[in-house]
Amino acid sequence: MNMHKLLASISKEAKIIIRDREALLLLFVMPLAFVLIMSLAMRDAFKEKGRVIFPIVILDMDGGRVGREIINAFSNTKYFRVDTSPNNEERVREDISRGNHKFAVIIPAETTRKAVSRAKAQMGTTNYKQAGALSIRLMADPTIQAVHRSIVISSLNRILQGIETKMLIEQFAAIAEEATGINIGIQQGEAAKIIRIFSEVTDEYTGSAGGNAMPTSVQQSVPAWSLFAMFFLVIPLSVAFIKEKQQGSLLRLKSMPVPAWVVLAGKMIPYFVINQLQFVFMMLVGMYLLPFLGGDALEIGNGPGGIALLTISASSAAIGYGLLIATFCKTSEQATTLGGTSVIIFGAIGGIMVPKFVMPSFMQKLTVISPMSWGLEGFIDIFVRGGNINNVLPEASMLFLFATVCFSIAALRFRFMFR
Amino acid sequence: MNSEIIIEVEGLYKTYPGAAQPAVNGISLAIRRGGFFGLLGPNGAGKTTFLSMLTGLLKPDSGRMRIAGLDIIDNLNEIKHRLSFVPQDTALYPTLTAGENLAFFGSMQGLSGSSLRMRIEECLNISDLNNFADSRVDTFSGGMKRRLSLVIGLVNKPDILFLDEPTVGIDPQSRHFIYNTLRKMNAEGMTIIYTSHYMEEAEALCDYIAIIDHGSVIAQGEIGHLLSQHGAANLEQLFLALTGTRIRE
């Protein structure tokens, strides 16, 4: 008998939800918009698994060996995107000031000749006065973050030091050959053949399945905004509950032979289904719509059990929190304000709006107070670090604990109201 | 009329937390099976609190309440199957249709399958809303909502029907329709307990009334008897004579 009442209650709630177009728009279109905007807007910032790619213009007015080596050195790393097409310094300066270019390396004419002369001067075979001053300049968009500017400056200095070292070796070899008569085998301009003592430093991540620890913008945005949307259900859930109280239908139900758990479960189950549909919808957007719009495709790893556990636990937490808000607020305005604001704060603290890895360390520590952060960490464990159901057990447990605490308080309050 | 007592109340008290005075202050009364009982009183007199305790919505601080010989507190679930409560608000789901509202509340009353479908049909007939079964309630007039609210109270064919001001704010036609429906249900044996501020309505419908003020019953009995006892020409005169003319908030 109670099962029939439960089914009737679920059916009633589902009809009310389906007919509330504004709430459905809020629950599905809002996260869709956020995922599309944030994934595409932050695509480059997360590019190549979270590595920052610096676009850089190189204006080579030297045309000699130094210019070529600088261009090759920048082109051969995965951190720079080199553009050598501009050929006029004034134009480059103008483009930088307009924000069309971010960085420009200016290699003046005669750089190679002067560099060789200065290398010879270093070896004492000529003097510095004859060699002349030599300066390679870096222009940067003033809006560029200081840390990014420092990275490019140090990269340019490292490249120049490399060229200097090679030129000095060549000069040293020439002097040694002349003094000893032994052919060392390094001709002018050939020091590049010298084998490096240290191989190129590579960054290594330690995911469970050897994956990259940094998410792409899509791997960050899709689960983040899906969780945000799941928690945003707090608003329609609590408003529906309060309306039921205000319209008197809850009072009528109280006078009927209906257990309180039937009323509560009848509300929770349809919202749980909505949460699951939200998540599946967002996954499909990440996997199929975003690549179609020029973004990266969402890679979801190989942990379907973990994904299911996280969506169930996150949904339980969201619904428990919604019921808590619903049972303590007296008006729908209160529920909308308290529910909406607290969800936005959870999102801001929990790394939804600003990715956790760009936060300063004290803010990263603060993320642990947000249930959305637990969910997001769990999804990143699976999507990015190649984790499975075992890896997300701590996060899922935290979400279930949060759900249990919220639900217990809400149920006590509801039983008190329903008594 | 059947003289069997269906509702017995003895020494009922209820004080809300923080309130200086009790909302219900020692009410004792008896209601006959098949009676049409009016519970009258000024605003804040304790009518709704008393009705809420009789329908199991509120626990009394002390006192005894029995329905058909069963203690209400101890047998609440069993008693809930026998009664129905029509609240002061229409208490409907605005985005559901009339049929869906009836189906939902009917299911909550324990009806299912063909018996539920049959009762929905009957209730739509009683309320004259057959042509609006599939229309959403938020498109209804105030009178249509009241009629629907009333028949939701009849869906489980209760022995006792409690109504809290069922005709507030509706047009004369719908009010007339509700009078007739209630008279018909009462004639078929249903015990009706209702509260109202409309004295003419109570005089026309009820065979027995209780006037409550400050949580206590200040007069109860058959209307004719009470009028002659207090030398009043009508119920309104009697009511004002007993409760005063001071406006209550």
Side-chain angles (χ1 to χ4, degrees), chain A residues 193-208:
Chain A
K193 290 177 186 172
I194 295 169
I195 295 166
R196 279 192 62 176
I197 294 170
F198 297 105
S199 51
E200 190 75 26
V201 174
T202 56
D203 41 1
E204 190 177 299
Y205 296 97
T206 50
S208 319

Side-chain angles (χ1 to χ4, degrees), chain A residues 19 244 247 252 254 419, chain B residues 57 80 93 95 100 149:
Chain A
R19 289 170 195 176
E244 208 165 342
Q247 288 161 352
R252 196 196 281 269
K254 273 176 75 174
R419 202 164 50 193
Chain B
L57 297 172
K80 278 182 173 179
Y93 293 100
T95 55
E100 287 166 347
S149 176

Side-chain angles (χ1 to χ4, degrees), chain A residues 158-191:
Chain A
R158 186 185 64 82
I159 290 166
L160 294 176
Q161 278 167 6
I163 295 169
E164 273 175 15
T165 307
K166 288 178 206 167
M167 286 185 158
L168 290 173
I169 289 169
E170 286 162 10
Q171 293 308 316
F172 179 77
I175 292 167
E177 277 182 17
E178 199 177 310
T180 62
I182 299 166
N183 185 2
I184 295 173
I186 298 174
Q187 303 302 316
Q188 289 288 315
E190 289 187 338

